Amino acid sequence: MGHKNKPRILDDDIELMVRIAKHGFVDMDYIQLFAYKGRKKDTIERRILQLTLHDFLIIERTFIPANHTASFRTGYKIVTLGKRGLQYMGDMGYEAKDNTKAFLNYSPYYMYHQVQVATVCDILQQEYEQGVSNWYVDEILNEKEAYLEEASNRPDAVLIFKHKDRTKTSAVLVYLEMERSYPKQERLERKIRAYNRLVNEELYANALSLTVIDHRVLFVSKVRNDQQLLTRKIQEYKGKIDFNLLVAGYEDVTKDPLNDIYEMPLHVEETYKLMGQLP
């Protein structure tokens, strides 16, 4: 994989660019998880550098996130599509947002947030497809795709779960809320009330033309202390909650998503599986 010659685009490159087109931003950890399966880390990094040199990708070095293992020498790198990558995706019929100019102006925290959303979504999809479960992720709606004008909330993503028994056509919707920092009580309560409304009025079920048998809202916190604070604030909410509300840590979801790692703040006596039977 020489750097100077214009690369011949391989299937692995296309898969990566399709994933970036979907999510907007990824990082090197994401790339090693989901792209170039079976390749060594050094080989992947050389390929990413080659694609960057020829403007298929853009790499931005940012702050090193908490609990991340990148060294100060290599830095933490966020990746998006370059001009040639955007053109290649367009020629293949994929819609991809052009982040080439905004890439330099976006907050690194926003881009890192989007990387976390992408990682959680794709790990859940991969593990439910390959693991022992009756469910699989049929479709992931990113933030833009999940936006409904009539809904007050804007989830970071919506995952559409369906039964692996294809004769069962009903769906479970999981709304992903990736918490960037400690939650404020007023904002959290406003969000809960908005989810009550969209569940009771079946806004997403109608918009997606789906028979939805359950709505689950998953709050994911990067830091353990934020997760505990979020749980306490949900418990302090005095109103009614008309949906299944779960809380989990980012590290737990990315390492062990199929197991009973999910907390229900109103049922703290045990933990649950994301697609398990809930009280």
Side-chain angles (χ1 to χ4, degrees), residues 3-265:
H3 291 168
K4 295 183 178 180
N5 297 328
K6 181 180 176 180
R8 180 172 66 87
I9 299 301
L10 308 173
D11 289 345
D12 285 343
D13 303 323
I14 294 173
E15 181 187 2
L16 173 60
M17 288 192 284
V18 168
R19 287 179 179 273
I20 298 175
K22 177 73 172 179
H23 296 298
F25 305 97
V26 300
D27 63 6
M28 295 304 296
D29 287 346
Y30 177 98
I31 291 170
Q32 287 158 19
L33 272 173
F34 298 110
Y36 305 102
K37 295 293 177 66
R39 304 284 187 93
K40 293 181 179 179
K41 182 179 178 180
D42 289 347
T43 303
I44 295 173
E45 290 178 348
R46 287 197 299 270
R47 184 60 171 178
I48 297 304
L49 177 59
Q50 185 185 27
L51 292 171
T52 301
L53 289 173
H54 292 275
D55 208 21
F56 286 94
L57 302 175
I58 300 174
I59 295 177
E60 176 73 7
R61 286 181 57 170
T62 72
F63 71 100
I64 299 177
N67 301 324
H68 201 274
T69 56
S71 69
F72 284 98
R73 182 179 64 82
T74 59
Y76 174 73
K77 299 171 184 175
I78 291 178
V79 182
T80 193
L81 292 174
K83 290 291 187 183
R84 281 184 173 172
L86 289 163
Q87 183 179 353
Y88 201 96
M89 288 292 94
D91 291 344
M92 292 187 66
Y94 290 97
E95 182 180 346
K97 182 179 179 182
D98 185 348
N99 291 314
T100 53
K101 292 181 180 178
F103 198 50
L104 301 176
N105 301 319
Y106 276 142
S107 161
Y109 292 95
Y110 168 78
M111 292 187 288
Y112 178 53
H113 172 80
Q114 295 304 109
V115 170
Q116 289 180 297
V117 172
T119 303
V120 167
C121 286
D122 287 4
I123 279 180
L124 287 171
Q125 185 172 48
Q126 175 177 280
E127 293 302 309
Y128 271 95
E129 182 68 35
Q130 299 175 0
V132 179
S133 174
N134 292 327
W135 298 89
Y136 73 100
V137 179
D138 181 63
E139 187 176 0
I140 298 169
L141 304 179
N142 62 28
E143 185 180 18
K144 179 181 177 182
E145 295 166 335
Y147 173 70
L148 287 182
E149 187 175 353
E150 60 269 35
S152 303
N153 277 350
R154 189 167 188 163
D156 289 311
V158 176
L159 293 88
I160 302 173
F161 281 83
K162 290 188 177 179
H163 207 282
K164 287 180 179 177
D165 178 353
R166 303 303 171 101
T167 64
K168 300 179 180 180
T169 58
S170 54
V172 173
L173 297 186
V174 175
Y175 307 87
L176 178 62
E177 293 283 347
M178 184 70 63
E179 290 299 290
R180 302 188 197 190
S181 59
Y182 65 90
K184 296 182 178 179
Q185 188 71 31
E186 182 181 351
R187 173 177 170 271
L188 175 64
E189 293 187 2
R190 187 167 60 246
K191 188 170 288 191
I192 290 173
R193 289 192 296 269
Y195 272 116
N196 280 340
R197 173 174 166 264
L198 73 83
V199 168
N200 291 326
E201 297 182 12
E202 299 186 337
L203 297 182
Y204 277 89
N206 293 332
L208 299 171
S209 299
L210 290 171
T211 301
V212 178
I213 59 172
D214 197 13
H215 299 263
R216 303 183 176 194
V217 178
L218 172 60
F219 284 87
V220 178
S221 295
K222 179 66 177 177
V223 181
R224 182 67 185 173
N225 287 344
D226 288 349
Q227 180 183 343
Q228 294 170 341
L229 178 59
L230 174 62
T231 298
R232 287 200 302 271
K233 288 186 176 296
I234 293 169
Q235 292 168 341
E236 292 170 6
Y237 176 63
K238 302 304 181 183
K240 186 180 179 183
I241 300 179
D242 295 328
F243 54 88
N244 286 307
L245 194 160
L246 300 106
V247 177
Y250 178 79
E251 185 175 357
D252 292 331
V253 175
T254 53
K255 288 185 177 178
D256 206 12
L258 295 184
N259 280 336
D260 50 351
I261 59 161
Y262 304 89
E263 299 176 352
M264 296 189 71

